[in-house]
Structure formats: structure tokens, C-alpha cells
Amino acid sequence: MIDLADQTSDLVTSKEARAGVGDSRALQRDAAAGRLVRIAHGAYVETGRWSSLLPSQRFVYRIAAAQRTAVRPLVFSHAAAAALWGLPWWGAPPGLVEVTDPAARSSRTHRLTRVHAQPLRDGDVVEHLGVRATVLGRTCADVLLDHPSLDATVVVDGALHAGETDPAGIAEFVEQRPAARAHARARRTLGFCEPGADSAGESVSRVLVHGFGFPAPVLQQPWRDTFGLIGFTDMWWPELGVIGEYDGDVKYLSDRWRRGRTPEQVVKDEKEREDRLRSLPEVRGFARWGTADLRSPERLRRILLAAGLEVGR
């Protein structure tokens, strides 16, 4: 596995320049000339490289910047640890890199980091990607306790989907946090999380469906016809005969989903797949939505109502 230093090998810092790797004043001049982007105090990346990165990748660079500019070792936690574990996040990642310091007297923020003054027990921390981070179960518990439920659902769904932890293990870490006023909310959110969600968009869709008062769907339902396996659908409401599919951009742009196909071929294959699903006698409605609909929930609600979903059924 490529460690964090290798992933961000083109990151340069003033701290390292002053130690003899380069000229810190040259970094400032290159930033002023537009050749470098200052991504954090004393940390720079080549402008073209930075502009090519996705928000999630930029967050990883900020984590690396925090590691390489710190005056003492850090333990990455919360959203930062979630990013290091490869867990999904909905929307833009947090602006600050979260770390946990049991020696801190109070939680505080610096230029680049948000320090959580919380205890760390044996088994809470592991070296991962060449840095110290909270273990997966503790990471999920921290997000459940200290971030909004929507963000926590996305992260925990992703962890459960990967099969590297389970609800009981996460719940144990939740209960270990002393005097956490958010315990009840964290337990409710954890109870809602499912391993069947295959993306952040699917997790957000499920949260919104629940908030609308629609019945809980079956996730990743397999479908077959006389020609064989059609595939798996994101959501299925058997009592109403409705299939729901979230179409994120990743389905058409990611190499993982395209498997060598062009975006045009993916669209064609999806149309053929939908036609086969609609032809099944038990399917009476079909809803398809995208990221823009999740950002305007009323649009999603109307799409689901038009497909045949009913509140309280």
C-alpha cells in the first residue's frame, strides 16, 4: 500500500526548506508568481497539480501538510482518519484537519488543525499509511459523536460496506467516550447504518427517504430474468413494486464502474438494464435520481412520489 508520503510526494514545505532541502524564500516567490499554491501555512503544491485534484484528494494533501509541518507527532482522527481509511464523505471535506491529543487541556483550532482534547486508550491508535491514526472503529465512533448524523451515516455505511468493522465494535468505542452528551444520537444513527450502501450518494438517499416518511427500502436487491442476472438495484420497495436507483457521476466517469467502457457505452448498458428491470412483472415503478436531486431534497421527494412511493407504507 502506498503511504501518505508517497501519495503526496510533490508537497513541499518551508520547514523542510529551512532544514536544507531547499530555499523557503524561493517557495514564497514561486507562490507569488503563481507557480505554486500555498495549501496551508508553510505548505505548497505545484499549481497545475493542485488544480487537477478532486476535493477529497486535496484534503489528503492538507492532512500530509499537517503531518509535515507539525512540531510534534499527531494522531489523526474523525474526518481526517476517515479519509486516511478511504471512507466516503458527502460534499466538501472539512476545512480543518482533525487530530486527537489526550494531553490537551481543551479542544482548540490552529491554522490547519482542529485538536480534540479526548482520551486515547490502548488499541485506539495504529500506524496507517505511515502516520498515526485512530483505528477504524474509533474513527467511526468519533464521527458519530462529533459530526452531524448525515456525515456520520455516510462514513459508517462505508465502513460497514467494506466489512472491516461491525456495529457492535463501533458501539463499544462510542460507549468508551466519557460523558459524551451525543451518545443517544450516535446510537440512533449507528442503528440506522447499513452495509448495503455502496456510495455516499446512496447513504444520503436513504437518509432523505427516511426523513420523507417513506418505508425503508431493501438494499442491493439481486434481479434475474430468463437471460440471467440483470444486476443489483440500490433500493427496492417490494410492497409497492418500486425500484430506486441513484446515479452519481462516478458511475460514468470512474474506472471502477466503467471497466474499460466509454461513458456512452455505460449509458447504453444502463438503459438496457433498466428496460429489463421494468419488464419484470413485480416492478410497477422505477425512480432514478442524481446528485443534484439530493442537494434539492424536494426534487427527490417528487421523483419518488411519481414512481409510486407512499408515505407510511
Side-chain angles (χ1 to χ4, degrees):
M1 180 179 292
I2 301 176
D3 65 22
L4 184 63
D6 290 333
Q7 290 182 41
T8 59
S9 59
D10 48 354
L11 172 70
V12 292
T13 70
S14 300
K15 178 182 178 181
E16 293 161 347
R18 287 192 295 270
V21 177
D23 181 356
S24 61
R25 288 171 297 182
L27 298 179
Q28 296 172 9
R29 288 194 297 269
D30 285 343
R35 291 184 290 272
L36 295 177
V37 174
R38 193 181 82 159
I39 67 169
H41 182 75
Y44 303 84
V45 177
E46 192 271 328
T47 301
R49 171 61 172 163
W50 185 250
S51 64
S52 71
L53 297 176
L54 298 171
S56 59
Q57 295 170 319
R58 291 182 176 187
F59 187 48
V60 171
Y61 269 76
R62 291 202 299 274
I63 294 171
Q67 171 74 8
R68 289 168 57 178
T69 59
V71 296
R72 58 195 181 96
L74 302 175
V75 175
F76 295 105
S77 61
H78 297 74
L84 293 173
W85 287 111
L87 297 177
W89 193 268
W90 179 247
L96 295 173
V97 174
E98 290 173 282
V99 300
T100 292
D101 183 358
R105 286 187 285 185
S106 62
S107 298
R108 61 192 186 279
T109 60
H110 295 298
R111 291 190 181 98
L112 182 57
T113 58
R114 172 175 287 121
V115 180
H116 293 272
Q118 295 167 354
L120 290 170
R121 296 174 173 79
D122 292 341
D124 283 3
V125 180
V126 67
E127 184 170 310
H128 178 61
L129 301 182
V131 299
R132 298 175 74 212
T134 50
V135 298
L136 191 59
R138 169 66 191 256
T139 299
C140 291
D142 285 340
V143 175
L144 281 162
L145 289 163
D146 296 326
H147 281 271
S149 292
L150 179 62
D151 294 333
T153 300
V154 170
V155 167
V156 177
D157 274 2
L160 297 179
H161 184 77
E164 299 297 330
T165 188
D166 56 48
I170 296 171
E172 185 175 343
F173 280 106
V174 169
E175 298 305 324
Q176 286 175 0
R177 282 273 300 274
R181 290 177 292 178
H183 273 173
R185 177 176 60 84
R187 286 192 291 266
R188 287 195 302 272
T189 303
L190 178 58
F192 180 75
C193 293
E194 294 273 359
D198 195 27
S199 69
E202 291 179 30
S203 296
V204 173
S205 298
R206 199 160 47 82
V207 171
L208 293 176
V209 164
H210 177 75
F212 296 147
F214 294 136
V218 176
L219 305 183
Q220 301 303 319
Q221 171 71 26
W223 295 93
R224 291 174 174 82
D225 60 11
T226 56
F227 299 102
L229 179 67
I230 302 174
F232 297 79
T233 50
D234 298 336
M235 297 184 182
W236 164 239
W237 288 271
E239 67 276 21
L240 296 168
V242 176
I243 285 175
E245 288 274 86
Y246 165 69
D247 270 352
D249 293 341
V250 67
K251 182 179 289 187
Y252 303 97
L253 301 177
S254 166
D255 291 339
R256 172 196 168 195
W257 288 97
R258 285 168 53 189
R259 298 190 295 276
R261 298 174 296 170
T262 65
E264 293 78 13
Q265 185 62 48
V266 174
V267 171
K268 181 176 180 294
D269 291 346
E270 281 295 304
K271 177 62 168 61
E272 292 176 354
R273 173 176 170 271
E274 181 174 329
D275 288 344
R276 289 174 67 186
L277 289 168
R278 285 182 179 272
S279 70
L280 297 172
E282 60 267 46
V283 177
R284 301 190 295 276
F286 198 106
R288 189 181 289 276
W289 61 90
T291 300
D293 303 308
L294 298 183
R295 300 196 187 285
S296 299
E298 179 59 23
R299 287 167 52 176
L300 175 60
R301 190 181 73 87
R302 291 175 181 173
I303 289 170
L304 295 173
L305 287 171
L309 283 197
E310 301 173 13
V311 174
R313 283 285 304 275

